[in-house]
Amino acid sequence: MAKKQASVTRREFLQQAALASGAVALAGFSPTAATVAQAGEQRIGSQLIGKLEGPELVLDPAKWPKKFGEAPMLAELVKAGKLPPVEKRIPEEPMVVKPLHSIGKYGGTWRRGFTGPGDGENGNRIVSTDKILFWDYTGTKIMPCLAKDWKVSDDGRVIAITLRKGHRWSDGHPFTADDFVFWYEDIYMNRDIQPNPHPDFMVNGKPGRLTKRDDYTVVFEFPEPNYLFVDILAGSTAMGGGQATQQFFLRTMGAYMPAHYIKQFLPKYSSRDEVDRKAKAAGFDGWLSYAKNRWDWRLNTEVPTLGPWKTVMPANTPTWGLERNPFYYGVDTEGNQLPYIDKINMGLAENLEVLNLRAIAGQYDLQERHTAMSKIPVFLENRAKGNYDVRLDPALNGSDATLQINHAYEADPEIAKWLHNRDFRRALSLGIERDQLNETFWLGIGVAGSVIPSESSPYSPGAEWRKKWSTHNPKQANELLDKIGLTKKDGEGYRLRTDGKGRLRIELQTSAGAFIPHTQIAEMIKEHWKKIGIQADTKELERNLFFTKIKGNEHQIAIWANDGTEVLYLFPRHALPVDPVEALMGHPIADWFASNGKAGKAPTDPEMLKALEMFRSAGSKKTAQERYEIAREIFKIIVDNQFSIGTVGQSPATMGVRIVSKKLGNIPAREVNAQHARTPCSSHPATFFYKS
């Protein structure tokens, strides 16, 4: 009989699960001695946090296997004459992965949950070895991926990547430099598809270009030094995100596409009338919307892909089904073609509560997305019954529920005036009782404060900036509001508009299906703001509608995580309005930034403009230290001006609570949890397997 686990109260558990916020190394740096000491002081919860570990790549061709094996389901197709032999499907230069613990076994279906078509990132993170380059499991080292090698010129202007010889798409068609040229000339440079240059493919506001040197060599060239570009190609960025990530929000990045398949949907290779006719026959309003649907790997089961699994049941059905890619380019050290797992079935959950209940019941084999930190005590209580383990992967971003101010808002001039007022934003921040939020929604294990990342991050300007304008001080908040002219109040104590149109009301927009309960957090902030005379109205929207409103510049304040700030240059969209794909701080400003002033609207705040100019200049700095110094100054500006308002962060709340079936092998005890190396992608899910 198994030994009965000692019971603990919820509060005792919370105390025991205190997380070492700086324990994970990030891109280009390692934990400081102080960070390590801090981690040592908080070892009580180590059984849930574990050791950072993961698989490794074999880079020496002399050690690559010479013979190959394959899954039984593929061997049957070969025998039936429906597939070529495995030796003809694997590239001459494969990606060789040394599994974490052992060579795996073939077979099985990975059970997982998702929340609908808007949850595409759920699959992106699993198939993400379709990226050009890749951050390793520590998040500190760039590794080969689709590209087997890369070279940066001494002046930082030219980056050449070398592809793997013999690599093929999932339909067997060769994958070559021509797929990059097609993307650049016919997709990215097509202003019907990509209206403006993207900041990921620019330096100091000047666009780069892409050329082909030969069938297996692609050259990215910039007019000025761009020493950040290799990091960008390896990160989960618009440019480096790969074929899967590029589909999120219909982005057209990723730097390559299956030319042989996509050409049929473009007017250039047929005619406008012909592609429009096909689009309307398929139920679309024109060729462009149809093309975007056809290159979306989540919705189109026919589009060729490069990841370990491809979609066989679309994401707009109750079960998003994936099945192994017979031409996947990865093998283990014994020559077995990856992935080990045959299929992935993601079952639609009507809401997050349903998804978490299924996880508690052991109905998922591996789930880190949407699993709620608030459920940790319940997860622990049901481990034996559900035959799973609970593992925590703390992140280093500053705030899991960030009040992202729309600095381009103009629909209501009165509201716009105050949102653009620094002292008003400071007052809102001072009015938030973050310790109460932490205890209620983060189980007391988050870190309250501003939006800056953990002090272990080289981007952090220092501990004092975590508290600046970010501690509860309603007296000071009221003084600031009085000072700027919001002195008149109604009978309930709420401040009145200065235009004579009644009570001043600020709308907090939240998304249904967020990783933590943003709507409930907004409701608590609403109560906090009563003490400073500010009326807040919360408005929860379905996720797709949430971002549609943001894209349309209709929101006032949107609540979202500022994940990615720990690697500012790789994922800046939650720190500054620079990415026109997702700009919670003002899409017109992001459009202006991305187009180098040709579109959108410039920020009116000189401090915002200063921060954007500093951000733009960082790519030309040769050393990491120079770039870190610029980032620290940017964060000082962000915090001092409260461009966005932080609450609580540095926790496992965002995809850091893993439920892992005990049947699975090669699962790391701890995964790096950051935007440039997203869970579980850096652990190479293709190496996960069922032990029995």
Side-chain angles (χ1 to χ4, degrees), residues 407 576-577 585 589 603 605-613 643:
H407 294 270
L576 291 168
M585 299 173 69
I589 299 175
D605 192 319
E607 289 294 296
M608 173 72 76
L609 184 61
K610 179 182 178 182
L612 292 171
E613 290 174 344
F643 288 146

Side-chain angles (χ1 to χ4, degrees), residues 95 123-131 134 145-146 167-171 175 241-245 256 297 303-311 322-330 337-339 341-342 344 684-686:
M95 177 175 64
N124 296 343
R125 290 169 173 263
I126 296 171
V127 302
S128 57
T129 43
D130 65 353
K131 295 162 57 176
F134 202 71
C145 204
L146 296 182
H167 196 171
R168 296 179 181 274
W169 291 94
S170 58
D171 62 356
F175 171 60
Q243 182 188 15
T245 302
Y256 66 87
W297 83 283
V303 63
T305 59
L306 298 171
W309 297 273
K310 69 183 304 290
T311 294
L322 282 67
E323 194 171 285
R324 63 170 65 253
N325 172 5
F327 289 88
Y328 186 58
Y329 69 106
Q337 186 185 33
L338 300 171
I341 294 175
D342 288 335
I344 303 173
H684 285 273

Side-chain angles (χ1 to χ4, degrees), residues 19 38 52 63 133 144 152 162 235 257 261 344 381 405 431 494 534 561 606 614 666:
L19 304 178
Q38 180 188 17
L52 186 65
K63 298 180 180 180
L133 300 172
V152 181
T162 305
M257 276 191 178
Y261 177 78
I344 303 173
E381 290 173 8
I405 311 276
Y494 287 106
I534 296 296
M614 293 172 68
N666 287 335

Side-chain angles (χ1 to χ4, degrees), residues 53-182:
E53 58 182 359
E56 298 180 351
L57 298 188
V58 179
L59 303 180
D60 184 357
K63 298 180 180 180
W64 291 353
K66 305 297 188 263
K67 295 183 179 180
F68 303 102
E70 64 188 330
M73 64 179 295
L74 298 183
E76 292 178 8
L77 293 173
V78 172
K79 188 177 180 180
K82 296 180 179 180
L83 273 180
V86 63
E87 293 82 5
K88 294 186 180 295
R89 302 197 313 268
I90 293 173
E92 300 171 41
E93 301 171 315
M95 177 175 64
V96 181
V97 186
K98 180 183 179 182
L100 173 58
H101 297 131
S102 66
I103 299 296
K105 300 178 181 178
Y106 285 122
T109 299
W110 176 353
R111 300 174 304 162
R112 189 172 172 91
F114 83 123
T115 59
D119 194 18
E121 183 68 0
N122 207 322
N124 296 343
R125 290 169 173 263
I126 296 171
V127 302
S128 57
T129 43
D130 65 353
K131 295 162 57 176
I132 298 171
L133 300 172
F134 202 71
W135 289 96
D136 76 343
Y137 73 89
T138 69
T140 65
K141 187 177 181 180
I142 294 175
M143 304 299 291
C145 204
L146 296 182
K148 72 165 187 176
D149 201 4
W150 68 95
K151 182 176 177 62
V152 181
S153 63
D154 290 340
D155 63 3
R157 292 178 58 250
V158 180
I159 298 91
I161 65 165
T162 305
L163 303 177
R164 302 176 184 275
K165 291 182 180 178
H167 196 171
R168 296 179 181 274
W169 291 94
S170 58
D171 62 356
H173 196 280
F175 171 60
T176 69
D178 289 333
D179 294 306
F180 288 78
V181 173
F182 168 77

Side-chain angles (χ1 to χ4, degrees), residues 290-301:
Y290 189 39
K292 288 181 176 180
N293 175 272
R294 296 295 82 189
W295 71 53
D296 191 332
W297 83 283
R298 304 165 304 167
L299 302 176
N300 181 11
T301 61

Side-chain angles (χ1 to χ4, degrees), residues 555-570:
H555 71 294
Q556 297 174 9
I557 301 177
I559 298 183
W560 196 253
N562 78 333
D563 45 337
T565 56
E566 69 276 7
V567 281
L568 178 64
Y569 300 123
L570 299 189

